[in-house]
Amino acid sequence: MDFNFPLLLVLSVFITGIIALIDRFFLLPKRLAAVAQLNDVGAGTEAAEKLAKEPAIVETSKSIFPVLLFVLVIRSFLFEPFQIPSGSMIPTLEVGDFILVNKYSYGLRLPVTGTKVLSIGEPDRGDVMVFKQPGKENINFIKRVIGLPGDVVRYMGKRLTVNGKPVPEEFVAQLSDDRSIYRLYNEGEGKQYQIRKELTSNDFRAEGEWVVPEGMYFVMGDNRDRSNDSRYWGFVPEENIVGKAVYIWMHWPSWTQLPGFKNNGAIE
């Protein structure tokens, strides 16, 4: 079962806030009235203090409500942390990178439902975007925006074309690891980023031409031969967008290793 943290956070804020309000307007006046009656009959201060004491659930709710509300506002409307679980964005993002996602770059959305309430900006080609994959709305994916609404995207022979114009790429290096021999390229015009292409892999299912519908976006991973993206499952609806990935703040690949900061910096 997928863990829905935003829903849990919203429910926690709602419940603790309701408890605090009930105490403020109903329970607290009753306690104060009872204490006043004890004082009138000359009862001891110990009994009065015990009667005036907040119930544990009220005390806890009033203590954590401001903290939960602060986290909800920051996480829902400003910045949200994510961890990169796969290698689909290598070399830009590595497995274990912890990133910050700007939640207001593309407009303010309500928590849980994702409904946009204020339009601020739209995704641009080359942006690294976090979104919910269609059909898997409880799972966050991260890819690069390649096609905007109305664009014609073509990927053949490991070459990317948008609206009939080849996207510029510049060879950087040829390297190898335990799995393959690959090449790194700088891709893009104006906004440049680095991509990876394997020489020992050629998946013809990843080739084709797509016309991006209105209200949709075409996304691809920078690790072009090891990315499950729009070439396989289609377009990202505008309502599924979570935000723009902007910064790497920590690298922690596994619990058996110490966290590091070698990748810290802005996301290109």
Side-chain angles (χ1 to χ4, degrees):
M1 181 182 296
D2 296 322
F3 180 66
N4 195 332
F5 180 76
L7 178 60
L8 177 62
L9 183 58
V10 169
L11 289 176
S12 299
V13 170
F14 178 77
I15 292 171
T16 55
I18 288 296
I19 292 174
L21 286 174
I22 290 174
D23 180 70
R24 172 66 179 82
F25 292 104
F26 297 100
L27 302 182
L28 178 60
K30 290 182 178 180
R31 290 200 303 272
L32 294 178
V35 170
Q37 287 181 352
L38 285 179
N39 291 333
D40 289 342
V41 298
T45 57
E46 183 176 346
E49 289 177 358
K50 185 177 180 179
L51 191 60
K53 184 176 177 59
E54 295 177 339
I57 188 172
V58 171
E59 184 179 6
T60 301
S61 296
K62 291 172 70 173
S63 298
I64 67 175
F65 171 73
V67 178
L68 293 176
L69 181 61
F70 177 78
V71 172
L72 178 63
V73 171
I74 295 296
R75 190 182 186 278
S76 299
F77 302 114
L78 298 177
F79 293 96
E80 183 175 358
F82 288 90
Q83 181 188 13
I84 303 302
S86 72
S88 69
M89 285 298 292
I90 292 173
T92 303
L93 299 172
E94 298 181 8
V95 177
D97 280 347
F98 284 73
I99 65 172
L100 285 179
V101 171
N102 187 322
K103 301 295 290 287
Y104 59 84
S105 289
Y106 306 139
L108 298 182
R109 297 174 182 270
L110 295 177
V112 182
T113 65
T115 303
K116 183 184 285 190
V117 294
L118 178 63
S119 182
I120 297 176
E122 302 295 337
D124 196 7
R125 291 189 195 93
D127 287 357
V128 178
M129 185 171 75
V130 174
F131 58 92
K132 309 286 186 180
Q133 181 183 321
K136 299 181 179 180
E137 275 71 16
N138 287 332
I139 303 176
N140 292 304
F141 281 69
I142 183 167
K143 307 292 179 187
R144 192 176 295 276
V145 178
I146 299 298
L148 305 179
D151 282 348
V152 179
V153 178
R154 189 172 188 267
Y155 192 75
M156 296 291 291
K158 300 193 179 186
R159 286 293 283 121
L160 177 63
T161 301
V162 178
N163 297 328
K165 183 179 179 181
V167 177
E169 63 177 36
E170 176 187 358
F171 174 76
V172 175
Q174 179 168 309
L175 305 167
S176 63
D177 56 22
D178 295 337
R179 303 178 67 181
S180 64
I181 302 172
Y182 61 91
R183 288 178 177 175
L184 300 179
Y185 296 86
N186 288 330
E187 184 180 85
E189 187 172 16
K191 178 186 292 185
Q192 281 200 334
Y193 45 89
Q194 202 164 91
I195 64 170
R196 168 175 163 158
K197 299 180 184 180
E198 295 189 3
L199 300 183
T200 53
S201 173
N202 192 15
D203 188 352
F204 294 105
R205 296 176 304 159
E207 297 186 336
E209 184 173 282
W210 303 266
V211 180
V212 186
E214 287 300 317
M216 301 280 191
Y217 295 88
F218 189 93
V219 297
M220 294 173 66
D222 291 346
N223 192 355
R224 292 291 160 81
D225 296 297
R226 297 189 181 275
S227 173
N228 181 22
D229 51 41
S230 288
R231 293 171 292 175
Y232 299 94
W233 44 256
F235 308 103
V236 178
E238 192 276 337
E239 59 267 23
N240 284 33
I241 295 174
V242 174
K244 179 181 179 181
V246 294
Y247 195 82
I248 304 170
W249 60 276
M250 186 175 68
H251 178 75
W252 195 2
S254 71
W255 293 103
T256 59
Q257 297 176 266
L258 291 175
F261 306 95
K262 66 182 181 70
N263 295 342
N264 281 31
I267 297 173
E268 300 296 336

